[in-house]
Amino acid sequence: MRSAGIREVARLSGVSIATVSRVFNDAASVRPDTQQRVLEQAAALGYEPSSLGRNLVRGRSELLGLIVPNVSFPLYGQMIGGIEDVLGHRGMSMLLASSHDDAVSELTAAQKVLRHAVDGGVVINTQSDVALPAPRGMNWVHISPEHSGLPYRVELDNAAGGRLAAREFLRLGRRHLAYIGAPGRESSERQHGFAGELSRAGLDYRRAQGDYSELSGTQAADDLLEKSSVLDAVFVAGDLMAAGVLRALHMRGLRVPGEVAVIGFDDAALASLLYPRLTSIRQPAYAMGAAAAELSLRLIGGHSAESVVFSPELVRRESTGPP
Amino acid sequence: MRSAGIREVARLSGVSIATVSRVFNDAASVRPDTQQRVLEQAAALGYEPSSLGRNLVRGRSELLGLIVPNVSFPLYGQMIGGIEDVLGHRGMSMLLASSHDDAVSELTAAQKVLRHAVDGGVVINTQSDVALPAPRGMNWVHISPEHSGLPYRVELDNAAGGRLAAREFLRLGRRHLAYIGAPGRESSERQHGFAGELSRAGLDYRRAQGDYSELSGTQAADDLLEKSSVLDAVFVAGDLMAAGVLRALHMRGLRVPGEVAVIGFDDAALASLLYPRLTSIRQPAYAMGAAAAELSLRLIGGHSAESVVFSPELVRRESTGPP
């Protein structure tokens, strides 16, 4: 399949063979204009270094497997962006497979990427409480796994996020609070932090349960509002559910934040597009993806590596303010 | 790295060696419960078929390269989902690289996936007007390329989308119309269809230009509204810009759709979360991704293949209605 050799690419680009090799193996060490010249010349000549033979010799595929519940969920897209940028700087590529939030599909996805002899792997939101299959020397890094017993994890301090939301409502003088949660460990931890902070202030709060969907947010808010008219602040476990809560409040003619303040969770792109723009607890998804890739690269390099816990931040927008 | 052979996996799963092989090479032909049993047994034994040696023999990597401007853009996420589902049924995997909407990065991304000897490739929204490098026998399929001279394309009939928007406004009795566009071929085609339909009805329309961002939508709408108070319908080249238009209208206290009707484009997940929910011209992103993967698989199989043009649909929601 090769129609030109590295020698010819080097000659026509006016650089050494070593430089051409670096463009394809360690691009960050070559000046961008030189890179571009070499890549264009290589493209014109139909040259591409074959990785297959090389990998058999080096015993490395230069591939990272990535298993993600659903690529079209924006938060995961940001995580993938962070992973990809770190890999790109090391000349590695990413093999992507979806788990569709299902343990059997996740196992199939893992087997699928393992067939390509990936050097390492990252799993976003694993559903499984057991380790995925891995050949000796290969490790999976988990972003936000449902179970905390897995060895290499990149996680958010969800309880700290709950505390941030509670403190913000207290600071704003809100006293009639509610939490709208969803199934799973993350929501429980968010609630735990929220409840702890309120309890220190001697306050109770009401609870409703959704499933992270917009509709479930509307229904949970309707339930809360039907049971009592006294509600001036709602903390919601996800931004999409919070969109549903805002809709329930609009429909009843309740002003946000005048009558009811709302805080979401994740700070997905959506949050700043809602009306009013949603105050949210930010999950630094891009940085978490980058950290997972770094952790994976350390393991691939045979170094020791530690799990990482990220701290969330409160991002204030229009859905919170004084009563 | 292999700690167990296919024979052992077959014996302990109670199936034939041929069945184990099919689980890893043609999974769709094996019953799900058998698949699961074999996969779990293979995982327990640390068995994984090595693809590297096999590929050298068969001359196929079973990999498809995918170049996407930005994984975290939801419409692209849907396209990737469609591609992945088609590949999954054929036991192929996807190698992902981002082009960051930049021609040089796109070329680098292409070289990167070509290093892994992909059997075929899909490029979403290529910025380049020249074909990407490809070894003999390998082809790139383009989803919505900026230039129409490339051989294998999956595209939306953007002009038809513009006509749908114009007809809907005319049907609703709107007569004071505007188009908010953005740079590039897609927006020009949308405008062309919109203008043609209005011209047949003897109507003119006003124009403003954004860049697909939310802020640019707000600014473009402000410009239009400052120049004239008579505006009762706005067609916007993208949903994110339309979110900005809705905001501009809210800020001026104009009722949507009572005073001004708004139609967006793409029908991204965002559209149905805006307030009011946005009527939009739907781009069937998942189906377009699946079609690109099918087209690519035909080419990999050595078959002839034709470019595909998809028709958009009008999805009516709350931002349009009678004056």
Side-chain angles (χ1 to χ4, degrees):
Chain A
M1 284 204 184
R2 192 180 305 183
S3 54
I6 191 169
R7 197 174 299 274
E8 206 171 340
V9 175
R11 188 174 56 82
L12 291 168
S13 315
V15 301
S16 67
I17 289 176
T19 300
V20 177
S21 170
R22 278 193 294 135
V23 167
F24 289 99
N25 292 291
D26 181 21
S29 71
V30 182
R31 280 173 40 193
D33 55 334
T34 307
Q35 262 188 63
Q36 187 178 350
R37 202 162 71 238
V38 170
L39 288 173
E40 284 174 354
Q41 201 56 252
L45 294 168
Y47 168 78
E48 48 128 3
S50 164
S51 70
L52 288 179
R54 198 179 55 197
N55 292 334
L56 282 182
V57 176
R58 299 194 3 203
R60 288 262 300 265
S61 62
E62 304 294 336
L63 286 173
L64 186 96
L66 173 63
I67 301 179
V68 54
N70 173 358
V71 267
S72 61
F73 186 62
L75 200 73
Y76 300 152
Q78 291 171 34
M79 288 176 181
I80 298 172
I83 294 168
E84 208 210 346
D85 283 352
V86 168
L87 294 184
H89 293 138
R90 317 290 177 97
M92 285 186 69
S93 293
M94 180 164 62
L95 205 58
L96 183 73
S98 296
S99 65
H100 305 289
D101 274 317
D102 167 89
V104 173
S105 302
E106 187 176 292
L107 186 59
T108 312
Q111 292 284 4
K112 194 169 150 184
V113 306
L114 289 175
R115 282 170 58 190
H116 292 278
V118 292
D119 298 329
V122 172
V123 190
I124 298 178
N125 271 33
T126 182
Q127 294 303 301
S128 181
D129 54 356
V130 295
L132 286 171
R136 218 186 322 277
M138 184 274 186
N139 294 285
W140 293 101
V141 172
H142 292 90
I143 302 182
S144 305
E146 186 58 32
H147 299 270
S148 55
L150 299 163
Y152 303 111
R153 298 186 313 280
V154 172
E155 294 186 274
L156 187 73
D157 185 342
N158 286 292
R163 289 193 292 272
L164 286 173
R167 274 182 227 140
E168 182 68 359
F169 285 149
L170 294 173
R171 186 183 75 80
L172 293 168
R174 307 285 171 156
R175 292 295 177 268
H176 305 284
L177 309 166
Y179 177 67
I180 298 179
R185 181 166 77 97
E186 295 191 316
S187 171
S188 303
E189 291 176 356
R190 290 164 195 179
Q191 178 171 3
H192 185 75
F194 187 70
E197 200 69 15
L198 294 185
S199 139
R200 263 186 291 281
L203 284 177
D204 198 3
Y205 67 103
R206 286 152 62 211
R207 299 146 186 83
Q209 181 86 342
D211 60 10
Y212 285 117
S213 72
E214 186 208 6
L215 182 62
S216 76
T218 301
Q219 288 167 340
D222 280 340
D223 281 357
L224 289 170
L225 291 161
E226 268 154 32
K227 285 183 193 141
S228 157
S229 57
V230 199
L231 183 71
D232 64 10
V234 189
F235 174 41
V236 193
D239 290 342
L240 196 54
M241 275 206 300
V245 171
L246 290 179
R247 182 162 295 268
L249 296 169
H250 285 314
M251 291 300 163
R252 288 169 182 260
L254 290 166
R255 285 175 295 109
V256 178
E259 290 169 276
V260 184
V262 179
I263 298 181
F265 207 104
D266 281 345
D267 195 31
L270 162 68
S272 69
L273 297 168
L274 295 174
Y275 187 80
R277 298 190 199 272
L278 183 68
T279 294
S280 187
I281 305 295
R282 167 165 241 171
Q283 169 146 220
Y286 178 90
M288 289 171 72
E294 295 284 2
L295 210 165
S296 192
L297 289 172
R298 282 192 62 79
L299 293 168
I300 291 169
H303 305 287
S304 64
E306 300 269 320
S307 293
V308 189
V309 178
F310 278 81
S311 295
E313 265 178 83
L314 173 74
V315 180
R316 290 192 182 95
R317 296 203 184 83
E318 301 163 355
S319 68
T320 47
Chain B
M1 285 205 183
R2 192 180 303 181
S3 54
I6 191 169
R7 198 175 297 274
E8 205 172 340
V9 175
R11 189 173 56 82
L12 291 168
S13 316
V15 301
S16 68
I17 288 175
T19 300
V20 176
S21 171
R22 280 194 293 135
V23 167
F24 289 98
N25 291 292
D26 181 21
S29 72
V30 182
R31 282 173 38 193
D33 55 334
T34 308
Q35 262 188 62
Q36 187 178 351
R37 203 161 72 238
V38 169
L39 288 173
E40 285 176 353
Q41 201 56 252
L45 294 168
Y47 168 77
E48 48 127 3
S50 163
S51 69
L52 288 178
R54 196 178 59 197
N55 292 334
L56 282 182
V57 175
R58 298 193 6 202
R60 289 263 300 266
S61 62
E62 305 293 337
L63 287 174
L64 186 96
L66 172 64
I67 300 179
V68 53
N70 173 358
V71 267
S72 63
F73 187 61
L75 201 73
Y76 300 152
Q78 290 171 36
M79 289 176 180
I80 298 172
I83 294 167
E84 209 211 345
D85 283 353
V86 168
L87 294 185
H89 293 136
R90 317 292 176 97
M92 283 186 69
S93 293
M94 181 164 61
L95 205 57
L96 183 74
S98 296
S99 66
H100 305 289
D101 275 319
D102 167 88
V104 173
S105 302
E106 187 176 294
L107 186 58
T108 311
Q111 292 284 4
K112 193 169 150 184
V113 306
L114 289 175
R115 283 169 58 189
H116 292 278
V118 293
D119 298 329
V122 172
V123 190
I124 298 178
N125 272 31
T126 181
Q127 295 303 301
S128 180
D129 54 355
V130 295
L132 286 171
R136 219 186 320 278
M138 185 273 186
N139 294 284
W140 292 102
V141 171
H142 292 91
I143 302 181
S144 306
E146 186 58 31
H147 299 271
S148 56
L150 299 163
Y152 303 110
R153 298 185 313 281
V154 172
E155 294 187 272
L156 187 73
D157 186 343
N158 286 293
R163 289 194 293 274
L164 287 173
R167 274 183 225 138
E168 181 68 0
F169 285 149
L170 294 173
R171 188 184 74 78
L172 293 168
R174 307 284 170 158
R175 291 295 176 269
H176 304 285
L177 309 164
Y179 176 67
I180 298 179
R185 182 165 77 96
E186 296 193 314
S187 172
S188 303
E189 291 176 358
R190 290 163 195 179
Q191 179 170 1
H192 185 75
F194 186 70
E197 200 69 14
L198 294 185
S199 137
R200 263 186 291 283
L203 284 178
D204 198 5
Y205 67 102
R206 287 152 60 210
R207 299 147 187 81
Q209 181 84 345
D211 61 8
Y212 286 117
S213 72
E214 186 208 9
L215 182 62
S216 75
T218 301
Q219 288 167 341
D222 280 340
D223 282 355
L224 289 169
L225 290 163
E226 268 155 32
K227 285 182 192 141
S228 157
S229 58
V230 200
L231 183 72
D232 64 10
V234 189
F235 174 42
V236 193
D239 290 343
L240 196 54
M241 274 204 302
V245 172
L246 291 179
R247 181 163 295 267
L249 296 169
H250 285 315
M251 291 301 163
R252 287 168 183 261
L254 290 165
R255 284 173 297 109
V256 179
E259 291 169 274
V260 184
V262 179
I263 298 181
F265 206 106
D266 281 345
D267 195 31
L270 163 69
S272 69
L273 296 168
L274 294 174
Y275 188 79
R277 297 190 200 271
L278 183 68
T279 294
S280 187
I281 306 294
R282 168 167 238 169
Q283 170 147 219
Y286 178 92
M288 290 172 72
E294 295 284 4
L295 211 165
S296 192
L297 289 171
R298 283 193 62 78
L299 293 167
I300 292 169
H303 304 288
S304 64
E306 301 268 322
S307 292
V308 189
V309 178
F310 278 80
S311 295
E313 266 178 82
L314 173 74
V315 180
R316 290 192 182 93
R317 296 202 183 85
E318 301 164 357
S319 68
T320 47

